[in-house]
Amino acid sequence: MTPTERGGEFAAGTPFVPPVAFRHALRPRDERASAVLRALTDERAAALVRAAAEELTTAPTRRGRRR
């Protein structure tokens, strides 16, 4: 493979494949956390995003005031 090739079946969904010198970065850094994220359903991800958004809008700021 060369840097200008699209990557074939292993690059499905993206037109780009990183250069060979950067492919080591494609390995998961935290195997257990990566497995949890891969198993996350769309519904659970949406619930987590909603909870985080709610927390951001209701949590006190650093000065003790609400946003």
Side-chain angles (χ1 to χ4, degrees):
M1 178 182 297
T2 68
T4 58
E5 287 182 281
R6 294 181 65 105
E9 67 178 298
F10 299 109
T14 178
F16 305 106
V17 173
V20 173
F22 295 97
R23 292 195 188 149
H24 69 280
L26 294 175
R27 291 188 308 252
R29 293 187 180 129
D30 183 334
E31 294 282 346
R32 289 176 57 203
S34 292
V36 169
L37 289 173
R38 284 191 301 273
L40 195 65
T41 64
D42 289 345
E43 293 79 17
R44 182 67 178 138
L48 289 169
V49 170
R50 280 192 302 273
E54 185 176 322
E55 179 66 23
L56 287 173
T57 59
T58 61
T61 64
R62 280 187 258 178
R63 294 185 188 144
R65 294 179 291 161
R66 295 199 180 270
R67 294 178 190 194

